Amino acid sequence: MGEEILKSVKPKHTNLFFLSLIFSFILLLSIAIPVSATTKQSDQVLTKIEVKNNGVPVINTSYSALNIEGALEKVESGEFSQQFLESSAWKDFLQNAPTWMNVEDNAIIFENGLKFGLNIKNNEVDAKRIITSILVSNGQEVIDELNKDMEGNKVSPIPFYQPGKITNKFTNQSGIAETFLSPGLTAILDANLNYVKLVEINSNPQKLNIDLGNTSKNLKFNLEGNYSTQKTNFESYVVSLNQGIEYHLLINKELAQSTNTVNVTIPANSQLVIDSIATDNLSAILNTNKVAFNPSSSNNSQPMVVATIGFDKNLTSDIMVVIKAHMNMQLISSASLPSLNLGMTAVTTQMGSGVDTATTPKLVTSGINFAMVDGKSDKLATGAEYLLTREGKGKKEVYLQDNSWGEVDNLESTGLAQGKVIKGGQRYIIGFGETGIPLALNRFNFNSKESEKLNRSLIQLYGLSKGYKYSLYQITEAKGFTIKDKVHDFKIDYENLVSPNGTFLVKSSISNASTPIPSLNSLIPDFSSGVNEYNALLVSDSPMRKGILLRNILIASFIAVCVILLTIILVIKFV
């Protein structure tokens, strides 16, 4: 039959016939595949996870999901096979059970009254709490043993993958991954198959927000004060180095059903000095570690418990713990533009519902660099002096000689006498003082005298927050210049970025100049593109200054384009 059809087709139409046949086959295949996939996944739930750690996306990290409905049913019924009771997983777990689990034969009794074992029945809520406690107590092998299918085979975890990229089995640059899961109780596991979170898969589609630093709605830190204008991305805040810090820790009364103690800790090498810890809840028992109140101890080599809050299961109201602290300026100033380490963590004790964790919002700081420039000749200048001012929250302030901010009504009358003089060659660390700008010793053509001379044209301001309108108010003219425009406004920025290769970067007013000076960057000893850039601080009134700056940018861009084109030509010619 096929041969007769082929014979009936004219030779010139043979190619067209075969093309039509191939197209029809592809069309049928494209229709059949989605139908098959849809049928296969009709009972599956598209589940998306967004993983963060205290607001920061957890990227390029593998996660998987394990449906544990089988284990849940057995914990609820208390019906365990003899094979399970004799398994090494069960025996090892009983032998190494944590102190808050009391072992009696083939049963475990938790401190909070929950029971788990042979012939012990539990409702669904208690069974889930028991499973969580077992998982956080290195008892995953027990859950795996209970969770075997009808044939006695271990149920395998299902990996998450990047949306639209099924071969990329890890989170994307937003910390997002997805997969199809069966409905029911499910354990989210990390790359090492360690327990992360217990969830219920029930809606389609479903999105799960996982914050590794904040695991419970019943335990939460808040940064107290008007910080809305200082907030940046990744749930962090850009603060000034001399502002006080006040954290409020909320312990929900519901937490008393699963634990009776919360420990508040600071990390190793903390730059935080505790001033006070207090609560007005009479049901809470607060014990503080006075060592943490000593500035010398904030440079601790190990994490330190600064307070323990105790309560009983009859707690009737939420507990609010107020923690006031300040920054250890000696530690911060001794480092070269360090990242701040001002966090605190609250952790519950294990008593029958797993571990709950809360982490304080991340605090960062920023600043800005200036180079004094003659706008007419496009050269570095020296000798100008300034006052640092800021305006916001309904008042105008000047940076004072004692390294604090003071409100002023008239800058000319009161500010001039009280303000700290800002001049070239200095790095000003807000709240601490000033030091000479370090010499760029790693510069390939380093010359000590030349570097000191160039540094006299530079001003570095470090430790400023977002949310204010800042100005440098000129009080002394540069050598050989007169100026009418005394006020130089600027703003402070800070933003976290994720590069295409997954590297975390910072874009700030330190790393990216808003008024760059391309023609002079090569002269500045510690200039580094995208890391440590300088803004033009004009010391002369020149109607051409904007044109000069634009010209410099265009010249630098033109040179860069020429270099790229020359490189391409050479590659094409010689490769």
Side-chain angles (χ1 to χ4, degrees):
M1 182 67 179
E3 292 178 358
E4 293 176 359
I5 293 174
L6 288 174
K7 289 178 181 179
S8 66
V9 179
K10 294 180 179 181
K12 64 179 181 179
H13 297 306
T14 302
N15 291 339
L16 181 61
F17 173 77
F18 277 112
L19 286 174
S20 300
L21 196 63
I22 292 170
F23 176 76
S24 300
F25 176 75
I26 292 173
L27 182 62
L28 288 171
L29 188 64
S30 65
I31 295 172
I33 289 175
V35 170
S36 174
T38 303
T39 303
K40 183 177 180 181
Q41 295 179 342
S42 61
D43 59 341
Q44 300 283 288
V45 175
L46 176 59
T47 305
K48 180 178 293 185
I49 58 172
E50 183 174 5
V51 188
K52 296 182 178 181
N53 190 348
N54 201 27
V56 180
V58 178
I59 65 176
N60 298 336
T61 305
S62 299
Y63 291 91
S64 59
L66 178 66
N67 185 291
I68 54 175
E69 276 291 311
L72 178 65
E73 292 175 4
K74 292 170 186 175
V75 173
E76 287 184 75
S77 66
E79 298 176 359
F80 306 132
S81 67
Q82 193 63 33
Q83 182 179 356
F84 168 76
L85 296 174
E86 294 177 356
S87 67
S88 59
W90 177 239
K91 290 181 178 179
D92 289 345
F93 185 71
L94 292 179
Q95 185 176 354
N96 300 300
T99 56
W100 48 273
M101 291 184 184
N102 297 316
V103 177
E104 294 183 3
D105 296 326
N106 277 313
I108 292 176
I109 302 174
F110 298 85
E111 285 186 5
N112 61 359
L114 291 178
K115 296 181 180 180
F116 160 58
L118 185 63
N119 298 323
I120 298 175
K121 297 183 181 297
N122 284 285
N123 60 38
E124 184 178 353
V125 173
D126 287 344
K128 289 179 180 179
R129 292 169 63 188
I130 289 169
I131 286 178
T132 303
S133 294
I134 294 173
L135 286 170
V136 300
S137 303
N138 300 319
Q140 191 165 318
E141 290 186 4
V142 172
I143 301 301
D144 288 340
E145 193 71 26
L146 287 172
N147 204 46
K148 288 182 176 179
D149 61 20
M150 298 296 293
E151 287 75 31
N153 299 315
K154 183 178 178 180
V155 179
S156 299
I158 297 174
F160 286 90
Y161 53 86
Q162 290 186 1
K165 299 179 181 179
I166 195 168
T167 56
N168 293 354
K169 293 181 170 59
F170 43 85
T171 52
N172 63 15
Q173 291 187 0
S174 298
I176 294 174
E178 65 183 21
T179 194
F180 285 90
L181 300 174
S182 298
L185 188 65
T186 302
I188 306 299
L189 310 175
D190 65 14
N192 297 317
L193 300 182
N194 294 319
Y195 167 76
V196 174
K197 188 173 185 178
L198 202 62
V199 298
E200 187 74 37
I201 305 299
N202 46 31
S203 62
N204 194 1
Q206 185 160 352
K207 183 177 180 180
L208 304 172
N209 295 310
I210 300 173
D211 191 334
L212 305 180
N214 297 279
T215 62
S216 172
K217 62 181 180 181
N218 294 324
L219 192 65
K220 182 176 178 59
F221 272 110
N222 288 307
L223 185 62
E224 186 64 17
N226 185 15
Y227 287 88
S228 58
T229 59
Q230 295 172 247
K231 190 172 184 179
T232 183
N233 60 344
F234 291 0
E235 301 298 320
S236 57
Y237 295 82
V238 187
V239 299
S240 178
L241 289 181
N242 65 339
Q243 69 185 77
I245 302 171
E246 183 174 324
Y247 293 121
H248 286 190
L249 173 63
L250 175 65
I251 302 174
N252 192 291
K253 61 183 179 182
E254 299 297 326
L255 204 63
Q257 302 304 312
S258 59
T259 189
N260 56 14
T261 307
V262 173
N263 287 332
V264 179
T265 66
I266 56 175
N269 303 313
S270 172
Q271 298 163 339
L272 199 66
V273 181
I274 306 299
D275 295 322
S276 65
I277 303 177
T279 179
D280 57 4
N281 192 316
L282 300 178
S283 299
I285 303 171
L286 178 62
N287 293 311
T288 58
N289 179 5
K290 296 302 181 182
V291 176
F293 292 70
N294 188 334
S296 63
S297 68
S298 60
N299 190 21
N300 48 308
S301 59
Q302 298 293 330
M304 180 189 300
V305 176
V306 299
T308 298
I309 303 102
F311 44 87
D312 60 40
K313 63 181 180 180
N314 297 319
L315 185 67
T316 57
S317 61
D318 298 343
I319 299 172
M320 180 67 74
V321 180
V322 178
I323 304 171
K324 296 182 180 181
H326 66 273
M327 306 178 204
N328 190 323
M329 293 305 302
Q330 287 291 139
L331 292 179
I332 294 173
S333 63
S334 63
S336 179
L337 305 185
S339 57
L340 300 182
N341 187 10
L342 303 170
M344 303 184 76
T345 303
V347 183
T348 65
T349 56
Q350 299 174 347
M351 201 180 76
S353 189
V355 177
D356 297 291
T357 302
T359 307
T360 56
K362 185 179 180 182
L363 303 182
V364 298
T365 193
S366 190
I368 195 167
N369 300 320
F370 289 102
M372 290 182 277
V373 178
D374 173 13
K376 293 180 180 179
S377 63
D378 194 27
K379 294 181 179 179
L380 292 175
T382 60
E385 295 179 337
Y386 306 85
L387 295 181
L388 174 62
T389 70
R390 70 180 187 183
E391 190 171 352
K393 302 177 182 178
K395 57 184 178 181
K396 185 166 186 176
E397 298 171 296
V398 64
Y399 189 57
L400 303 176
Q401 296 174 17
D402 64 356
N403 305 309
S404 66
W405 293 97
E407 189 172 358
V408 290
D409 296 325
N410 189 304
L411 191 61
E412 289 283 357
S413 59
T414 58
L416 293 178
Q418 301 174 7
K420 177 183 283 288
V421 177
I422 307 297
K423 52 189 177 181
Q426 299 293 307
R427 171 185 292 173
Y428 295 89
I429 302 171
I430 303 302
F432 176 76
E434 63 272 7
T435 61
I437 296 177
L439 297 177
L441 300 176
N442 57 349
R443 192 177 174 93
F444 74 95
N445 59 346
F446 172 73
N447 180 290
S448 178
K449 290 185 177 180
E450 183 66 18
S451 292
E452 289 177 359
K453 178 182 176 182
L454 291 169
N455 279 355
R456 287 197 290 271
S457 299
L458 311 178
I459 296 173
Q460 297 181 349
L461 303 174
Y462 177 70
L464 297 171
S465 69
K466 283 182 61 176
Y468 290 91
K469 177 184 176 182
Y470 290 96
S471 297
L472 280 177
Y473 181 85
Q474 189 167 348
I475 57 174
T476 302
E477 294 169 340
K479 294 178 181 179
F481 298 97
T482 58
I483 189 167
K484 297 178 183 177
D485 186 7
K486 294 184 177 182
V487 181
H488 305 269
D489 295 329
F490 64 93
K491 68 176 183 177
I492 295 298
D493 289 321
Y494 186 104
E495 183 182 9
N496 294 281
L497 302 172
V498 181
S499 70
N501 66 356
T503 302
F504 284 94
L505 305 173
V506 172
K507 181 180 179 181
S508 71
S509 43
I510 292 178
S511 62
N512 294 81
S514 58
T515 55
I517 37 178
S519 60
L520 299 178
N521 287 336
S522 60
L523 295 177
I524 299 175
D526 64 348
F527 172 85
S528 179
S529 179
V531 177
N532 195 54
E533 297 188 359
Y534 282 80
N535 294 269
L537 185 59
L538 295 169
V539 299
S540 62
D541 285 320
S542 172
M544 296 296 293
R545 63 189 183 211
K546 292 184 179 178
I548 291 175
L549 291 173
L550 180 60
R551 182 203 68 189
N552 291 339
I553 294 173
L554 292 175
I555 291 174
S557 300
F558 177 75
I559 293 173
V561 171
C562 290
V563 170
I564 292 172
L565 290 175
L566 181 60
T567 303
I568 293 173
I569 292 171
L570 291 174
V571 169
I572 294 174
K573 184 175 181 180
F574 294 105
V575 174

